[in-house]
Amino acid sequence: MNNHRIKAFLLSAGLGSRLRPITDVTPKCLVDVGNQPVLGRWLTSLAHIKCSSALINTHYLHQQVEDYLDSTSHMYEFEISTTYESDLLGTAGSFINNIDFFDCDVGLLVHADNWMAENLSHFILAHQSRPSHCMMTMLTFHTNQPHSCGIVELDDQNVVTAFHEKSEQFVGNIANGAVYAFGSEFLDFARNIKFNAFDFSKEIIPLLLNKIYTYKTNLPFVDIGTPPNLQHARSIALSHGSF
């Protein structure tokens, strides 16, 4: 990764209400896909890009997440820490509340309730070669369920020109994977936001149109948030088990 220092914030505090009854007893980030919790999959991917530190936010069934990390953190050569939210801050609120964590060359913000076959190495390389006017890179994927995703419209440089969050109107099938890479320029921008943002996709992304580069993965990418999607992820994990 060209010796860039990378730190990652894995958003893992969600309730997973669409996955009940599974999530009545298991936090969504610890749901098993391919004989590994989805959170473990992201930690393994971070290891491949030589991440220096990972921060994980917790809320629902947080002790299970802490116990899992206590039993597995020795497997990774980077620091893993947690931040507990007594009240959910939202994806934007969590990021802004922990923005000082990102004293690094490349920061990553990851929704850790998705399952991705590809590791993050090509995504990081794409971010490092982004157009100079872009302050962030977004991972995207092809979806057959555009109404349930955030859909991007792109220019000929693969820069986001429009963003539609879960629109019933068809505007395309290139979806936001909710994995973002950024550096100091974006951090300065985020520190100067003058309102209490809660949702990153709905409140932050629209402020950055024409300033977000994209990298599209051509390997499977699945939001495991519903039982059919979880079953789909488990079926393809059998053939895409390791990086």
Side-chain angles (χ1 to χ4, degrees):
M1 297 294 103
N2 296 331
N3 296 318
H4 282 75
R5 188 161 174 258
I6 300 170
K7 301 184 82 170
F9 186 13
L10 302 179
L11 296 168
S12 307
L15 302 178
S17 56
R18 294 177 299 163
L19 270 182
R20 290 174 178 159
I22 295 173
T23 49
D24 285 340
V25 294
T26 303
K28 187 177 178 183
C29 67
L30 295 187
V31 170
D32 184 89
V33 178
N35 298 316
Q36 182 183 39
V38 66
L39 178 60
R41 178 79 176 183
W42 284 110
L43 291 172
T44 301
S45 188
L46 292 177
H48 276 264
I49 58 171
K50 301 187 184 305
C51 179
S52 63
S53 182
L55 177 64
I56 299 167
N57 71 330
T58 65
H59 172 74
Y60 178 64
L61 298 177
H62 63 96
Q63 192 58 54
Q64 287 191 40
V65 181
E66 296 280 359
D67 292 345
Y68 170 75
L69 294 172
D70 285 344
S71 66
T72 59
S73 60
H74 67 278
M75 299 165 53
Y76 305 102
E77 296 181 357
F78 56 90
E79 180 183 359
I80 300 172
S81 57
T82 62
T83 176
Y84 172 71
E85 298 177 8
S86 57
D87 297 304
L88 286 172
L89 299 175
T91 51
S94 296
F95 168 74
I96 292 171
N97 196 56
N98 292 281
I99 199 167
D100 291 338
F101 166 73
F102 294 102
D103 56 342
C104 54
D105 301 298
V106 178
L108 294 174
L109 181 65
V110 178
H111 289 219
D113 53 3
N114 298 313
W115 186 91
M116 182 171 71
E118 184 174 354
N119 71 50
L120 290 164
S121 57
H122 292 104
F123 175 63
I124 295 295
L125 291 173
H127 174 67
Q128 292 170 353
S129 62
R130 69 194 184 281
S132 60
H133 65 283
C134 292
M135 65 173 70
M136 176 188 287
T137 303
M138 171 196 292
L139 186 140
T140 64
F141 66 102
H142 181 279
T143 179
N144 294 320
Q145 302 172 318
H147 63 281
S148 66
C149 300
I151 299 297
V152 296
E153 295 183 51
L154 307 174
D155 66 13
D156 57 5
Q157 289 186 290
N158 292 319
V159 174
V160 177
T161 58
F163 182 72
H164 310 271
E165 181 66 17
K166 297 180 181 176
S167 172
E168 290 300 323
Q169 179 181 358
F170 180 79
V171 289
N173 50 26
I174 304 303
N176 175 16
V179 179
Y180 310 100
F182 48 83
S184 59
E185 184 180 10
F186 172 69
L187 294 173
D188 291 342
F189 166 84
R191 286 188 176 98
N192 285 303
I193 291 174
K194 302 301 183 184
F195 61 94
N196 293 324
F198 185 82
D199 189 290
F200 198 91
S201 294
K202 293 180 179 179
E203 297 176 85
I204 305 299
I205 295 301
L207 302 177
L208 295 171
L209 298 181
N210 302 302
K211 295 182 180 180
I212 304 175
Y213 186 51
T214 60
Y215 168 80
K216 181 175 176 290
T217 179
N218 292 314
L219 292 176
F221 186 104
V222 184
D223 171 4
I224 67 160
T226 65
N229 283 5
L230 175 59
Q231 185 57 41
H232 176 57
R234 286 173 167 170
S235 66
I236 60 178
L238 299 176
S239 57
H240 294 278
S242 59
F243 294 122

